[in-house]
Amino acid sequence: MTTDVINPSTGAVLTSVPSLGLEETDAAIERAHRAFPAWRAVAPGERARLLRRFAAVVDEHLDELADLEVRNAGHTIGNARWEAGNVRDVLNYYAGAPERLIGKQIPVPGGLDVTFHEPLGVVGIIVPWNFPMPIAGWGFGPALAAGNTVVLKPAELTPLTAIRLGELALEAGIPEGVFQVVPGKGSVVGQRFVTHPAVRKVCFTGSTDVGKSIMARCADQVKRVTLELGGKSANIVFADADLEKAAASAPGSVFDNAGQDCCARSRLLVQESVYDKFLALLEPAVRAFRVQDPAQDTAEMGPLISASHRETVASYVDGADVAFRGSAPDGDGWWFPPTVLLAHGAGDRHWREEVFGPVLSVLPFRDEEEAVRLANDTEYGLSGSLWTRDVGRALRVSRAVETGALSVNSHSSVRYWTPFGGMKQSGLGRELGPDALLGFTDVKNVFLATGD
């Protein structure tokens, strides 16, 4: 059985890939299970060397991987190059972990007490279609470094870079069975990661509803989970901010990757005393945002991932109060123009729900207290930004907004050396940085009696 892979810029079939069934998924998990004892026993320095070699091989194929992502996911070439480089950087970062995965010596009477960080076993990683390359690396990098083996299921719409990364791992010398890519349906492959007893942890990035289902089913086996789920992040602009800079950067914070980003700052809160001025600054920035063939170096945004998703995004705009829109190419492909909607209250559908497209909702606020209340009035808490020149306000609001990653006077969400993850229904656990590594281990406590 195979699945067609479509180029979202043209609607044409790129290729077809296998869609593996239950038997093949079980076989992959069994290979990972058999490979685990030998992989965990690899000397820390040697495991580090293999991960550095994997990073080097990825680096040698950056252009190839970026080109695959442009054609398969519709990412701009600039973004795709960064994403391939991020896989390389994550592998290099966690290549430093095996030799530094140190425990503790805890003072106790009558002997010596020490702790070890033991690998879990087989880790199942379920990757979404919006950022197929980097999110895969955020899972398999620390998992492999900690001594686990990995089975990875790419999204059905965007499997090509994950499949290629699996091939490059073997080329780099990662042993057979240690890192496998298993393409197929979520209802088959992903579901089996959840139910198979040999899989000791599941990492899932995707919708909150699916994440809840995975978490509930993992509970049957007390199986560990890391969940990075939906988002409806706020971009809060106070009257004392650098309004020109805030307005110029706002389009990129929500329209990057065509808004198909859980971290998109899709709720724009502007202090009412500068609301009209800010919209006047925002409009030319939105109209100038370049929606082009993603293979062009000048492109800032490409198409949406599929025709059905374009229909979903359009449903949020139909009947809404459109402030202004950018432009998008005509013809083949699943294009959608950057769109700014005026919210007339916190109950508006486009204000409350995750659109996952290039749609920005704008709402004024009176003061700091109302800004925090409106920002927190959501089930999500993944990312966000605030703009102010007042350092005290920046600290107060940063602490008060319920979100896992927040940036002041910028739109940063992800650095591979700092933790990333959500609060509330945006997720559970942390990826990247030093925090992620220990999520792929169990702490073992050992007491050695000395006969004192």
Side-chain angles (χ1 to χ4, degrees):
M1 185 175 178
T2 61
T3 299
D4 286 341
V5 178
I6 308 297
N7 183 337
S9 296
T10 64
V13 175
L14 274 174
T15 186
S16 60
V17 301
S19 183
L20 302 185
L22 184 61
E23 185 175 337
E24 294 121 322
T25 303
D26 279 353
I29 294 170
E30 180 57 31
R31 286 191 296 270
H33 184 59
R34 291 198 304 268
F36 171 61
W39 178 246
R40 73 176 297 179
V42 171
E46 176 63 11
R47 196 183 314 142
R49 186 193 68 79
L50 286 169
L51 291 175
R52 286 194 295 270
R53 176 58 186 152
F54 190 2
V57 172
V58 170
D59 189 57
E60 292 164 5
H61 292 82
L62 286 186
D63 288 341
E64 175 195 351
L65 289 165
D67 178 65
L68 277 177
E69 208 71 301
V70 169
R71 292 184 291 128
N72 187 182
H75 290 193
T76 63
I77 185 62
N79 280 5
R81 288 173 182 144
W82 179 90
E83 290 157 17
N86 184 258
V87 175
R88 171 203 60 208
D89 294 343
V90 166
L91 283 167
N92 273 324
Y93 178 79
Y94 287 109
E99 295 161 299
R100 296 168 177 82
L101 195 56
I102 55 175
K104 299 176 181 177
Q105 181 269 315
I106 302 171
V108 295
L112 174 71
D113 196 277
V114 294
T115 62
F116 300 90
H117 293 288
E118 304 286 11
L120 302 174
V122 181
V123 174
I125 300 173
I126 303 172
V127 178
W129 52 258
N130 61 326
F131 289 106
M133 265 197 293
I135 291 177
W138 301 352
F140 68 69
L144 294 174
N148 303 280
T149 55
V150 171
V151 285
L152 184 147
K153 192 201 90 66
E156 294 167 62
L157 293 172
T158 56
L160 298 186
T161 48
I163 291 171
R164 187 67 181 124
L165 286 169
E167 295 167 350
L168 295 178
L170 293 173
E171 183 180 320
I174 301 296
E176 293 274 355
V178 169
F179 174 46
Q180 300 171 80
V181 177
V182 189
K185 293 182 177 296
S187 58
V188 178
V189 179
Q191 169 75 359
R192 194 57 178 142
F193 288 0
V194 171
T195 61
H196 198 297
V199 177
R200 296 310 308 145
K201 177 170 182 173
V202 172
C203 299
F204 171 78
T205 301
S207 74
T208 295
D209 286 344
V210 175
K212 289 178 181 178
S213 175
I214 287 173
M215 186 175 181
R217 296 199 302 272
C218 283
D220 290 340
Q221 299 175 22
V222 196
K223 186 173 297 191
R224 290 154 182 78
V225 292
T226 293
L227 304 173
E228 196 268 276
L229 308 176
K232 191 67 177 176
S233 299
N235 180 17
I236 309 169
V237 180
F238 287 95
D240 70 325
D242 182 336
L243 298 182
E244 287 76 12
K245 185 176 180 181
S249 66
S253 77
V254 64
F255 302 143
D256 183 62
N257 200 35
Q260 300 166 132
D261 182 355
C262 296
C263 292
R265 276 74 164 163
S266 55
R267 292 185 301 149
L268 176 59
L269 285 160
V270 183
Q271 196 156 19
E272 60 186 12
S273 61
V274 295
Y275 180 78
D276 291 337
K277 179 180 179 180
F278 190 84
L279 287 182
L281 293 168
L282 179 63
E283 181 172 2
V286 169
R287 295 194 185 281
F289 206 75
R290 295 186 298 273
V291 185
Q292 299 172 325
D293 177 349
Q296 296 183 24
D297 285 329
T298 55
E300 294 178 289
M301 180 180 132
L304 293 169
I305 190 62
S306 67
S308 62
H309 187 55
R310 182 174 62 180
E311 291 177 6
T312 299
V313 172
S315 72
Y316 286 92
V317 176
D318 293 342
D321 188 353
V322 177
F324 40 84
R325 308 184 79 172
S327 60
D330 297 322
D332 295 334
W334 299 306
W335 303 94
F336 198 90
T339 302
V340 176
L341 304 180
L342 301 180
H344 297 286
D348 286 2
R349 178 171 172 250
H350 60 81
W351 178 263
R352 299 210 64 80
E353 298 181 15
E354 186 178 29
V355 178
F356 221 60
V359 177
L360 175 62
S361 303
V362 189
L363 188 67
F365 67 89
R366 290 185 301 276
D367 53 25
E368 186 176 312
E369 181 181 359
E370 185 178 37
V372 170
R373 180 179 61 79
L374 289 169
N376 288 339
D377 183 24
T378 174
E379 63 187 11
Y380 298 115
L382 186 57
S383 193
S385 300
L386 66 97
W387 293 78
T388 180
R389 288 186 170 98
D390 184 331
V391 175
R393 172 182 287 146
L395 291 172
R396 287 192 304 273
V397 176
S398 295
R399 296 297 301 273
V401 173
E402 299 165 346
T403 192
L406 192 140
S407 54
V408 178
N409 297 329
S410 76
H411 296 300
S412 170
S413 291
V414 175
R415 295 180 179 86
Y416 61 83
W417 61 95
T418 62
F420 173 71
M423 295 181 177
K424 300 191 285 189
Q425 294 193 35
S426 280
L428 182 71
R430 290 295 179 266
E431 297 174 302
L432 300 174
D435 300 64
L437 185 72
L438 298 186
F440 292 99
T441 67
D442 271 328
V443 176
K444 179 181 288 181
N445 186 70
V446 175
F447 171 72
L448 293 86
T450 57
D452 295 350

